[in-house]
Amino acid sequence: MPTLEELLKKHGVTPMENPSSGPRAKLLKQVNRMLNEIENYEDAGDMNADNAKFWWAPQSVNGKRKVTAKYGGRAVDNLSTYVDDSVSAVKSMLQSYRAIIEDSDDATWASEEEKRNS
């Protein structure tokens, strides 16, 4: 029988007593939104777009697709990389980003918050 903690983790739910608007919470919300969005994509063409509203680039370049973490309308410094132009590669990188974000705390993103507040 799974514990509540195991079920929350399995379904990507982070329990909070109070709403948080810190950078970690914002990034988690965004990466989970990206993972939900890409879930129904079948091939790389599904990731093509007219603008860069997602964490993946709207087009591939030389068989690679850029994946960049963003929140507050801006890219996060040093959290951007190129992966193969496939749904599975992009999804895998999003999952890696989520793991990094989950291991962080708001202090990790202090310089990002400073950028957004200046």
Side-chain angles (χ1 to χ4, degrees), residues 8-80:
L8 289 168
K9 184 173 182 161
K10 176 182 176 185
H11 294 282
V13 176
T14 304
M16 291 186 188
E17 301 258 334
N18 300 305
S20 172
S21 61
R24 181 181 178 276
K26 290 174 188 171
L27 281 162
L28 275 175
K29 180 179 178 186
Q30 289 299 314
V31 75
N32 286 329
R33 204 177 118 239
M34 295 301 114
L35 284 163
N36 285 338
E37 175 67 30
I38 205 169
E39 189 59 40
N40 298 315
Y41 289 16
E42 293 179 11
D43 61 46
D46 292 337
M47 295 185 289
N48 293 341
D50 295 329
N51 61 44
K53 68 180 180 176
F54 300 120
W55 283 19
W56 51 88
Q59 302 87 24
S60 66
V61 177
N62 298 324
K64 299 287 185 184
R65 191 160 308 242
K66 190 172 188 180
V67 182
T68 304
K70 302 174 194 171
Y71 81 95
R74 296 177 73 169
V76 174
D77 287 344
N78 302 315
L79 201 52
S80 179

